[in-house]
Amino acid sequence: MNKYMHMAILEARKGIRKGHGGPFGAVIVKDGEVIGKGHNEVVKNNDPTCHGEMMAIHKACKKLGTFDLSGCELYTTGEPCPMCMAAILWANISKVYYGCNIVDTEDIGFRDKVFYEFQENGGREKMVVELDRKACLKLYQEYKNIADKTAY
């Protein structure tokens, strides 16, 4: 067994035994060093964004003092959902290794498949509506004019 996946499994197990959430643990590694670990804390925090990958990303960014995790790899017990995959992409993580896939996750009662179907079946177009674009463009222009940009 891969040592980093083993660590992700142990992290997930810790979370489920504490009642924090589902069996999802994640470990982020850079140059052979673990820089972030996390497990699902949705139940603990009453926050649907507290997935294992998200918690690991938060800890890795804090440890490195940056939002850019270029050169990092992520090991996770479950295939990343669309939210986590987006965060992984925003963080510039270069590689993801996962244990169980979305079918496995559905088999234990999670509904990840719904989010993939939502994207594939035009759900976004039915739910997301552009509003007050001109006012928001002024805000964007204000940001663009700031010389020292620290976010993307």
Side-chain angles (χ1 to χ4, degrees):
M1 175 186 298
N2 178 280
K3 71 178 183 177
Y4 301 121
M5 186 59 77
H6 181 67
M7 292 172 79
I9 291 168
L10 292 176
E11 184 69 22
R13 187 169 285 129
K14 179 172 80 173
I16 60 175
R17 289 186 176 164
K18 289 182 175 184
H20 291 176
F24 309 107
V27 173
I28 298 176
V29 178
K30 184 171 187 171
D31 301 324
E33 178 189 351
V34 174
I35 58 165
K37 293 191 294 186
H39 60 265
N40 185 291
E41 295 186 28
V42 168
V43 174
K44 175 187 174 192
N45 296 326
N46 290 317
D47 183 340
T49 67
C50 290
H51 290 194
E53 297 93 336
M54 302 294 276
M55 304 309 288
I57 289 169
H58 291 174
K59 290 175 184 174
C61 289
K62 187 173 184 176
K63 181 174 183 171
L64 295 181
T66 181
F67 53 81
D68 185 356
L69 299 180
S70 292
C72 293
E73 296 180 333
L74 187 143
Y75 295 79
T76 181
T77 57
E79 184 174 354
C81 73
M83 174 186 68
C84 291
M85 197 64 226
I88 289 163
L89 292 169
W90 276 112
N92 298 311
I93 292 172
S94 60
K95 191 79 167 182
V96 176
Y97 300 94
Y98 67 89
C100 294
N101 61 41
I102 62 170
V103 173
D104 301 325
T105 302
E106 184 177 21
D107 285 346
I108 62 166
F110 288 84
R111 58 190 179 105
D112 292 30
K113 187 177 174 184
V114 170
F115 301 103
Y116 292 98
E117 290 173 351
F118 176 83
Q119 291 176 316
E120 293 168 3
N121 296 327
R124 183 184 188 286
E125 289 76 23
K126 296 173 188 169
M127 183 181 204
V128 180
V129 179
E130 185 178 291
L131 178 68
D132 292 330
R133 182 169 181 257
K134 285 184 182 182
C136 293
L137 280 172
K138 286 180 184 179
L139 174 69
Y140 276 31
Q141 188 61 46
E142 181 182 332
Y143 175 78
K144 187 176 179 181
N145 292 336
I146 295 172
D148 181 28
K149 294 182 184 74
T150 58
Y152 49 92

PDB file of all heavy atoms in Angstrom, residues 113-142:
ATOM      1  N   LYS A 113     -22.822  11.649  -7.543  1.00  0.00           N
ATOM      2  CA  LYS A 113     -23.279  11.478  -8.927  1.00  0.00           C
ATOM      3  C   LYS A 113     -24.238  12.589  -9.352  1.00  0.00           C
ATOM      4  O   LYS A 113     -24.222  13.037 -10.498  1.00  0.00           O
ATOM      5  CB  LYS A 113     -23.933  10.105  -9.065  1.00  0.00           C
ATOM      6  CG  LYS A 113     -24.308   9.726 -10.461  1.00  0.00           C
ATOM      7  CD  LYS A 113     -24.874   8.310 -10.490  1.00  0.00           C
ATOM      8  CE  LYS A 113     -25.393   7.956 -11.846  1.00  0.00           C
ATOM      9  NZ  LYS A 113     -26.035   6.636 -11.858  1.00  0.00           N
ATOM     10  N   VAL A 114     -25.052  13.072  -8.425  1.00  0.00           N
ATOM     11  CA  VAL A 114     -26.018  14.133  -8.719  1.00  0.00           C
ATOM     12  C   VAL A 114     -25.309  15.383  -9.240  1.00  0.00           C
ATOM     13  O   VAL A 114     -25.797  16.042 -10.151  1.00  0.00           O
ATOM     14  CB  VAL A 114     -26.825  14.489  -7.438  1.00  0.00           C
ATOM     15  CG1 VAL A 114     -27.667  15.734  -7.628  1.00  0.00           C
ATOM     16  CG2 VAL A 114     -27.691  13.325  -7.023  1.00  0.00           C
ATOM     17  N   PHE A 115     -24.131  15.684  -8.693  1.00  0.00           N
ATOM     18  CA  PHE A 115     -23.420  16.894  -9.079  1.00  0.00           C
ATOM     19  C   PHE A 115     -22.800  16.766 -10.469  1.00  0.00           C
ATOM     20  O   PHE A 115     -22.752  17.727 -11.223  1.00  0.00           O
ATOM     21  CB  PHE A 115     -22.377  17.253  -8.022  1.00  0.00           C
ATOM     22  CG  PHE A 115     -23.019  17.465  -6.679  1.00  0.00           C
ATOM     23  CD1 PHE A 115     -22.944  16.485  -5.705  1.00  0.00           C
ATOM     24  CD2 PHE A 115     -23.733  18.619  -6.407  1.00  0.00           C
ATOM     25  CE1 PHE A 115     -23.564  16.662  -4.477  1.00  0.00           C
ATOM     26  CE2 PHE A 115     -24.359  18.803  -5.183  1.00  0.00           C
ATOM     27  CZ  PHE A 115     -24.266  17.817  -4.217  1.00  0.00           C
ATOM     28  N   TYR A 116     -22.349  15.568 -10.806  1.00  0.00           N
ATOM     29  CA  TYR A 116     -21.836  15.335 -12.156  1.00  0.00           C
ATOM     30  C   TYR A 116     -22.982  15.421 -13.165  1.00  0.00           C
ATOM     31  O   TYR A 116     -22.835  16.026 -14.226  1.00  0.00           O
ATOM     32  CB  TYR A 116     -21.148  13.970 -12.245  1.00  0.00           C
ATOM     33  CG  TYR A 116     -19.879  13.901 -11.445  1.00  0.00           C
ATOM     34  CD1 TYR A 116     -19.860  13.348 -10.173  1.00  0.00           C
ATOM     35  CD2 TYR A 116     -18.686  14.410 -11.947  1.00  0.00           C
ATOM     36  CE1 TYR A 116     -18.693  13.291  -9.422  1.00  0.00           C
ATOM     37  CE2 TYR A 116     -17.511  14.366 -11.207  1.00  0.00           C
ATOM     38  CZ  TYR A 116     -17.530  13.802  -9.946  1.00  0.00           C
ATOM     39  OH  TYR A 116     -16.377  13.756  -9.212  1.00  0.00           O
ATOM     40  N   GLU A 117     -24.120  14.840 -12.832  1.00  0.00           N
ATOM     41  CA  GLU A 117     -25.287  14.893 -13.720  1.00  0.00           C
ATOM     42  C   GLU A 117     -25.776  16.323 -13.887  1.00  0.00           C
ATOM     43  O   GLU A 117     -26.188  16.723 -14.969  1.00  0.00           O
ATOM     44  CB  GLU A 117     -26.395  13.993 -13.180  1.00  0.00           C
ATOM     45  CG  GLU A 117     -26.067  12.522 -13.293  1.00  0.00           C
ATOM     46  CD  GLU A 117     -27.072  11.612 -12.601  1.00  0.00           C
ATOM     47  OE1 GLU A 117     -27.954  12.111 -11.869  1.00  0.00           O
ATOM     48  OE2 GLU A 117     -26.954  10.377 -12.786  1.00  0.00           O
ATOM     49  N   PHE A 118     -25.736  17.102 -12.811  1.00  0.00           N
ATOM     50  CA  PHE A 118     -26.139  18.507 -12.854  1.00  0.00           C
ATOM     51  C   PHE A 118     -25.330  19.259 -13.906  1.00  0.00           C
ATOM     52  O   PHE A 118     -25.863  19.997 -14.721  1.00  0.00           O
ATOM     53  CB  PHE A 118     -25.931  19.128 -11.467  1.00  0.00           C
ATOM     54  CG  PHE A 118     -26.214  20.605 -11.395  1.00  0.00           C
ATOM     55  CD1 PHE A 118     -27.510  21.069 -11.238  1.00  0.00           C
ATOM     56  CD2 PHE A 118     -25.185  21.531 -11.461  1.00  0.00           C
ATOM     57  CE1 PHE A 118     -27.775  22.431 -11.153  1.00  0.00           C
ATOM     58  CE2 PHE A 118     -25.433  22.894 -11.379  1.00  0.00           C
ATOM     59  CZ  PHE A 118     -26.739  23.342 -11.223  1.00  0.00           C
ATOM     60  N   GLN A 119     -24.015  19.036 -13.898  1.00  0.00           N
ATOM     61  CA  GLN A 119     -23.149  19.698 -14.856  1.00  0.00           C
ATOM     62  C   GLN A 119     -23.406  19.224 -16.276  1.00  0.00           C
ATOM     63  O   GLN A 119     -23.401  20.008 -17.213  1.00  0.00           O
ATOM     64  CB  GLN A 119     -21.679  19.447 -14.499  1.00  0.00           C
ATOM     65  CG  GLN A 119     -21.242  20.139 -13.240  1.00  0.00           C
ATOM     66  CD  GLN A 119     -19.808  19.798 -12.866  1.00  0.00           C
ATOM     67  OE1 GLN A 119     -19.397  18.659 -12.915  1.00  0.00           O
ATOM     68  NE2 GLN A 119     -19.063  20.808 -12.490  1.00  0.00           N
ATOM     69  N   GLU A 120     -23.614  17.937 -16.426  1.00  0.00           N
ATOM     70  CA  GLU A 120     -23.775  17.356 -17.760  1.00  0.00           C
ATOM     71  C   GLU A 120     -25.132  17.661 -18.382  1.00  0.00           C
ATOM     72  O   GLU A 120     -25.258  17.693 -19.599  1.00  0.00           O
ATOM     73  CB  GLU A 120     -23.582  15.836 -17.683  1.00  0.00           C
ATOM     74  CG  GLU A 120     -22.160  15.434 -17.337  1.00  0.00           C
ATOM     75  CD  GLU A 120     -22.043  13.956 -16.973  1.00  0.00           C
ATOM     76  OE1 GLU A 120     -23.048  13.228 -17.033  1.00  0.00           O
ATOM     77  OE2 GLU A 120     -20.930  13.546 -16.606  1.00  0.00           O
ATOM     78  N   ASN A 121     -26.158  17.885 -17.563  1.00  0.00           N
ATOM     79  CA  ASN A 121     -27.516  18.034 -18.068  1.00  0.00           C
ATOM     80  C   ASN A 121     -28.017  19.478 -18.087  1.00  0.00           C
ATOM     81  O   ASN A 121     -29.217  19.719 -18.052  1.00  0.00           O
ATOM     82  CB  ASN A 121     -28.471  17.159 -17.247  1.00  0.00           C
ATOM     83  CG  ASN A 121     -28.160  15.690 -17.396  1.00  0.00           C
ATOM     84  OD1 ASN A 121     -27.720  15.238 -18.449  1.00  0.00           O
ATOM     85  ND2 ASN A 121     -28.363  14.932 -16.334  1.00  0.00           N
ATOM     86  N   GLY A 122     -27.114  20.433 -18.133  1.00  0.00           N
ATOM     87  CA  GLY A 122     -27.523  21.830 -18.260  1.00  0.00           C
ATOM     88  C   GLY A 122     -28.090  22.448 -16.998  1.00  0.00           C
ATOM     89  O   GLY A 122     -28.765  23.473 -17.064  1.00  0.00           O
ATOM     90  N   GLY A 123     -27.833  21.870 -15.846  1.00  0.00           N
ATOM     91  CA  GLY A 123     -28.348  22.403 -14.591  1.00  0.00           C
ATOM     92  C   GLY A 123     -27.854  23.803 -14.294  1.00  0.00           C
ATOM     93  O   GLY A 123     -28.585  24.641 -13.774  1.00  0.00           O
ATOM     94  N   ARG A 124     -26.611  24.076 -14.644  1.00  0.00           N
ATOM     95  CA  ARG A 124     -26.031  25.397 -14.375  1.00  0.00           C
ATOM     96  C   ARG A 124     -26.820  26.484 -15.097  1.00  0.00           C
ATOM     97  O   ARG A 124     -27.113  27.526 -14.511  1.00  0.00           O
ATOM     98  CB  ARG A 124     -24.568  25.434 -14.817  1.00  0.00           C
ATOM     99  CG  ARG A 124     -23.896  26.751 -14.503  1.00  0.00           C
ATOM    100  CD  ARG A 124     -22.459  26.817 -15.030  1.00  0.00           C
ATOM    101  NE  ARG A 124     -21.773  27.987 -14.564  1.00  0.00           N
ATOM    102  CZ  ARG A 124     -21.985  29.225 -14.992  1.00  0.00           C
ATOM    103  NH1 ARG A 124     -22.879  29.451 -15.925  1.00  0.00           N
ATOM    104  NH2 ARG A 124     -21.310  30.240 -14.498  1.00  0.00           N
ATOM    105  N   GLU A 125     -27.170  26.237 -16.336  1.00  0.00           N
ATOM    106  CA  GLU A 125     -27.893  27.234 -17.129  1.00  0.00           C
ATOM    107  C   GLU A 125     -29.264  27.546 -16.532  1.00  0.00           C
ATOM    108  O   GLU A 125     -29.781  28.645 -16.688  1.00  0.00           O
ATOM    109  CB  GLU A 125     -28.046  26.775 -18.586  1.00  0.00           C
ATOM    110  CG  GLU A 125     -26.738  26.787 -19.369  1.00  0.00           C
ATOM    111  CD  GLU A 125     -25.801  25.622 -19.023  1.00  0.00           C
ATOM    112  OE1 GLU A 125     -26.279  24.578 -18.529  1.00  0.00           O
ATOM    113  OE2 GLU A 125     -24.582  25.771 -19.227  1.00  0.00           O
ATOM    114  N   LYS A 126     -29.857  26.580 -15.836  1.00  0.00           N
ATOM    115  CA  LYS A 126     -31.170  26.778 -15.221  1.00  0.00           C
ATOM    116  C   LYS A 126     -31.067  27.501 -13.881  1.00  0.00           C
ATOM    117  O   LYS A 126     -32.023  28.105 -13.427  1.00  0.00           O
ATOM    118  CB  LYS A 126     -31.856  25.432 -15.011  1.00  0.00           C
ATOM    119  CG  LYS A 126     -32.160  24.699 -16.293  1.00  0.00           C
ATOM    120  CD  LYS A 126     -32.681  23.311 -16.011  1.00  0.00           C
ATOM    121  CE  LYS A 126     -32.795  22.519 -17.306  1.00  0.00           C
ATOM    122  NZ  LYS A 126     -33.056  21.112 -17.058  1.00  0.00           N
ATOM    123  N   MET A 127     -29.902  27.446 -13.249  1.00  0.00           N
ATOM    124  CA  MET A 127     -29.755  27.950 -11.889  1.00  0.00           C
ATOM    125  C   MET A 127     -28.994  29.268 -11.803  1.00  0.00           C
ATOM    126  O   MET A 127     -29.263  30.077 -10.917  1.00  0.00           O
ATOM    127  CB  MET A 127     -29.037  26.891 -11.053  1.00  0.00           C
ATOM    128  CG  MET A 127     -28.868  27.221  -9.608  1.00  0.00           C
ATOM    129  SD  MET A 127     -27.982  25.858  -8.836  1.00  0.00           S
ATOM    130  CE  MET A 127     -28.508  26.049  -7.170  1.00  0.00           C
ATOM    131  N   VAL A 128     -28.039  29.508 -12.691  1.00  0.00           N
ATOM    132  CA  VAL A 128     -27.145  30.655 -12.595  1.00  0.00           C
ATOM    133  C   VAL A 128     -27.584  31.741 -13.578  1.00  0.00           C
ATOM    134  O   VAL A 128     -27.733  31.487 -14.768  1.00  0.00           O
ATOM    135  CB  VAL A 128     -25.679  30.221 -12.887  1.00  0.00           C
ATOM    136  CG1 VAL A 128     -24.743  31.407 -12.795  1.00  0.00           C
ATOM    137  CG2 VAL A 128     -25.265  29.124 -11.918  1.00  0.00           C
ATOM    138  N   VAL A 129     -27.793  32.965 -13.049  1.00  0.00           N
ATOM    139  CA  VAL A 129     -28.312  34.073 -13.851  1.00  0.00           C
ATOM    140  C   VAL A 129     -27.402  35.287 -13.683  1.00  0.00           C
ATOM    141  O   VAL A 129     -27.084  35.691 -12.558  1.00  0.00           O
ATOM    142  CB  VAL A 129     -29.749  34.439 -13.399  1.00  0.00           C
ATOM    143  CG1 VAL A 129     -30.289  35.612 -14.211  1.00  0.00           C
ATOM    144  CG2 VAL A 129     -30.668  33.231 -13.491  1.00  0.00           C
ATOM    145  N   GLU A 130     -26.986  35.881 -14.792  1.00  0.00           N
ATOM    146  CA  GLU A 130     -26.178  37.103 -14.744  1.00  0.00           C
ATOM    147  C   GLU A 130     -27.053  38.257 -14.269  1.00  0.00           C
ATOM    148  O   GLU A 130     -28.192  38.410 -14.702  1.00  0.00           O
ATOM    149  CB  GLU A 130     -25.632  37.406 -16.143  1.00  0.00           C
ATOM    150  CG  GLU A 130     -24.679  38.576 -16.182  1.00  0.00           C
ATOM    151  CD  GLU A 130     -24.113  38.813 -17.571  1.00  0.00           C
ATOM    152  OE1 GLU A 130     -23.315  37.975 -18.036  1.00  0.00           O
ATOM    153  OE2 GLU A 130     -24.481  39.830 -18.184  1.00  0.00           O
ATOM    154  N   LEU A 131     -26.502  39.106 -13.362  1.00  0.00           N
ATOM    155  CA  LEU A 131     -27.264  40.212 -12.792  1.00  0.00           C
ATOM    156  C   LEU A 131     -26.326  41.362 -12.463  1.00  0.00           C
ATOM    157  O   LEU A 131     -25.270  41.157 -11.870  1.00  0.00           O
ATOM    158  CB  LEU A 131     -27.981  39.723 -11.513  1.00  0.00           C
ATOM    159  CG  LEU A 131     -28.807  40.736 -10.735  1.00  0.00           C
ATOM    160  CD1 LEU A 131     -30.036  41.155 -11.549  1.00  0.00           C
ATOM    161  CD2 LEU A 131     -29.241  40.134  -9.401  1.00  0.00           C
ATOM    162  N   ASP A 132     -26.694  42.567 -12.831  1.00  0.00           N
ATOM    163  CA  ASP A 132     -25.945  43.791 -12.518  1.00  0.00           C
ATOM    164  C   ASP A 132     -24.484  43.730 -12.975  1.00  0.00           C
ATOM    165  O   ASP A 132     -23.564  44.112 -12.253  1.00  0.00           O
ATOM    166  CB  ASP A 132     -26.016  44.101 -11.007  1.00  0.00           C
ATOM    167  CG  ASP A 132     -27.420  44.499 -10.565  1.00  0.00           C
ATOM    168  OD1 ASP A 132     -28.163  45.081 -11.399  1.00  0.00           O
ATOM    169  OD2 ASP A 132     -27.773  44.218  -9.413  1.00  0.00           O
ATOM    170  N   ARG A 133     -24.288  43.285 -14.197  1.00  0.00           N
ATOM    171  CA  ARG A 133     -22.939  43.120 -14.732  1.00  0.00           C
ATOM    172  C   ARG A 133     -22.158  44.432 -14.750  1.00  0.00           C
ATOM    173  O   ARG A 133     -20.977  44.466 -14.400  1.00  0.00           O
ATOM    174  CB  ARG A 133     -23.008  42.518 -16.130  1.00  0.00           C
ATOM    175  CG  ARG A 133     -21.635  42.283 -16.736  1.00  0.00           C
ATOM    176  CD  ARG A 133     -21.718  41.443 -18.010  1.00  0.00           C
ATOM    177  NE  ARG A 133     -20.382  41.237 -18.541  1.00  0.00           N
ATOM    178  CZ  ARG A 133     -19.899  41.903 -19.586  1.00  0.00           C
ATOM    179  NH1 ARG A 133     -20.639  42.818 -20.212  1.00  0.00           N
ATOM    180  NH2 ARG A 133     -18.668  41.664 -20.011  1.00  0.00           N
ATOM    181  N   LYS A 134     -22.793  45.531 -15.154  1.00  0.00           N
ATOM    182  CA  LYS A 134     -22.071  46.805 -15.256  1.00  0.00           C
ATOM    183  C   LYS A 134     -21.498  47.231 -13.905  1.00  0.00           C
ATOM    184  O   LYS A 134     -20.351  47.663 -13.817  1.00  0.00           O
ATOM    185  CB  LYS A 134     -22.984  47.900 -15.818  1.00  0.00           C
ATOM    186  CG  LYS A 134     -23.227  47.791 -17.301  1.00  0.00           C
ATOM    187  CD  LYS A 134     -24.059  48.949 -17.803  1.00  0.00           C
ATOM    188  CE  LYS A 134     -24.326  48.789 -19.290  1.00  0.00           C
ATOM    189  NZ  LYS A 134     -25.099  49.922 -19.819  1.00  0.00           N
ATOM    190  N   ALA A 135     -22.275  47.126 -12.869  1.00  0.00           N
ATOM    191  CA  ALA A 135     -21.803  47.500 -11.530  1.00  0.00           C
ATOM    192  C   ALA A 135     -20.659  46.592 -11.092  1.00  0.00           C
ATOM    193  O   ALA A 135     -19.674  47.052 -10.499  1.00  0.00           O
ATOM    194  CB  ALA A 135     -22.945  47.427 -10.523  1.00  0.00           C
ATOM    195  N   CYS A 136     -20.767  45.337 -11.391  1.00  0.00           N
ATOM    196  CA  CYS A 136     -19.713  44.394 -11.021  1.00  0.00           C
ATOM    197  C   CYS A 136     -18.456  44.607 -11.856  1.00  0.00           C
ATOM    198  O   CYS A 136     -17.339  44.409 -11.362  1.00  0.00           O
ATOM    199  CB  CYS A 136     -20.227  42.959 -11.129  1.00  0.00           C
ATOM    200  SG  CYS A 136     -21.503  42.599  -9.900  1.00  0.00           S
ATOM    201  N   LEU A 137     -18.618  45.010 -13.121  1.00  0.00           N
ATOM    202  CA  LEU A 137     -17.453  45.313 -13.954  1.00  0.00           C
ATOM    203  C   LEU A 137     -16.656  46.484 -13.382  1.00  0.00           C
ATOM    204  O   LEU A 137     -15.425  46.501 -13.475  1.00  0.00           O
ATOM    205  CB  LEU A 137     -17.872  45.611 -15.393  1.00  0.00           C
ATOM    206  CG  LEU A 137     -18.153  44.386 -16.274  1.00  0.00           C
ATOM    207  CD1 LEU A 137     -18.752  44.815 -17.606  1.00  0.00           C
ATOM    208  CD2 LEU A 137     -16.899  43.557 -16.477  1.00  0.00           C
ATOM    209  N   LYS A 138     -17.342  47.458 -12.772  1.00  0.00           N
ATOM    210  CA  LYS A 138     -16.643  48.576 -12.133  1.00  0.00           C
ATOM    211  C   LYS A 138     -15.772  48.053 -10.988  1.00  0.00           C
ATOM    212  O   LYS A 138     -14.639  48.498 -10.806  1.00  0.00           O
ATOM    213  CB  LYS A 138     -17.637  49.609 -11.610  1.00  0.00           C
ATOM    214  CG  LYS A 138     -18.275  50.436 -12.702  1.00  0.00           C
ATOM    215  CD  LYS A 138     -19.247  51.445 -12.125  1.00  0.00           C
ATOM    216  CE  LYS A 138     -19.950  52.210 -13.241  1.00  0.00           C
ATOM    217  NZ  LYS A 138     -20.920  53.174 -12.709  1.00  0.00           N
ATOM    218  N   LEU A 139     -16.301  47.129 -10.230  1.00  0.00           N
ATOM    219  CA  LEU A 139     -15.532  46.520  -9.145  1.00  0.00           C
ATOM    220  C   LEU A 139     -14.317  45.787  -9.700  1.00  0.00           C
ATOM    221  O   LEU A 139     -13.208  45.917  -9.181  1.00  0.00           O
ATOM    222  CB  LEU A 139     -16.420  45.552  -8.353  1.00  0.00           C
ATOM    223  CG  LEU A 139     -15.729  44.734  -7.274  1.00  0.00           C
ATOM    224  CD1 LEU A 139     -15.286  45.627  -6.127  1.00  0.00           C
ATOM    225  CD2 LEU A 139     -16.660  43.631  -6.793  1.00  0.00           C
ATOM    226  N   TYR A 140     -14.529  45.030 -10.762  1.00  0.00           N
ATOM    227  CA  TYR A 140     -13.415  44.305 -11.398  1.00  0.00           C
ATOM    228  C   TYR A 140     -12.342  45.276 -11.890  1.00  0.00           C
ATOM    229  O   TYR A 140     -11.157  45.013 -11.765  1.00  0.00           O
ATOM    230  CB  TYR A 140     -13.935  43.463 -12.568  1.00  0.00           C
ATOM    231  CG  TYR A 140     -14.486  42.118 -12.194  1.00  0.00           C
ATOM    232  CD1 TYR A 140     -15.096  41.885 -10.974  1.00  0.00           C
ATOM    233  CD2 TYR A 140     -14.407  41.064 -13.086  1.00  0.00           C
ATOM    234  CE1 TYR A 140     -15.612  40.646 -10.649  1.00  0.00           C
ATOM    235  CE2 TYR A 140     -14.915  39.815 -12.767  1.00  0.00           C
ATOM    236  CZ  TYR A 140     -15.522  39.607 -11.551  1.00  0.00           C
ATOM    237  OH  TYR A 140     -16.018  38.379 -11.240  1.00  0.00           O
ATOM    238  N   GLN A 141     -12.776  46.400 -12.459  1.00  0.00           N
ATOM    239  CA  GLN A 141     -11.821  47.394 -12.951  1.00  0.00           C
ATOM    240  C   GLN A 141     -11.020  47.983 -11.790  1.00  0.00           C
ATOM    241  O   GLN A 141      -9.823  48.200 -11.912  1.00  0.00           O
ATOM    242  CB  GLN A 141     -12.541  48.497 -13.732  1.00  0.00           C
ATOM    243  CG  GLN A 141     -11.602  49.457 -14.423  1.00  0.00           C
ATOM    244  CD  GLN A 141     -10.703  48.775 -15.446  1.00  0.00           C
ATOM    245  OE1 GLN A 141     -11.151  47.972 -16.260  1.00  0.00           O
ATOM    246  NE2 GLN A 141      -9.412  49.074 -15.402  1.00  0.00           N
ATOM    247  N   GLU A 142     -11.694  48.220 -10.673  1.00  0.00           N
ATOM    248  CA  GLU A 142     -11.012  48.723  -9.480  1.00  0.00           C
ATOM    249  C   GLU A 142      -9.916  47.739  -9.053  1.00  0.00           C
ATOM    250  O   GLU A 142      -8.792  48.141  -8.763  1.00  0.00           O
ATOM    251  CB  GLU A 142     -12.025  48.907  -8.348  1.00  0.00           C
ATOM    252  CG  GLU A 142     -11.450  49.435  -7.067  1.00  0.00           C
ATOM    253  CD  GLU A 142     -12.506  49.557  -5.969  1.00  0.00           C
ATOM    254  OE1 GLU A 142     -13.700  49.757  -6.285  1.00  0.00           O
ATOM    255  OE2 GLU A 142     -12.125  49.436  -4.786  1.00  0.00           O
TER     256      GLU A 142
END
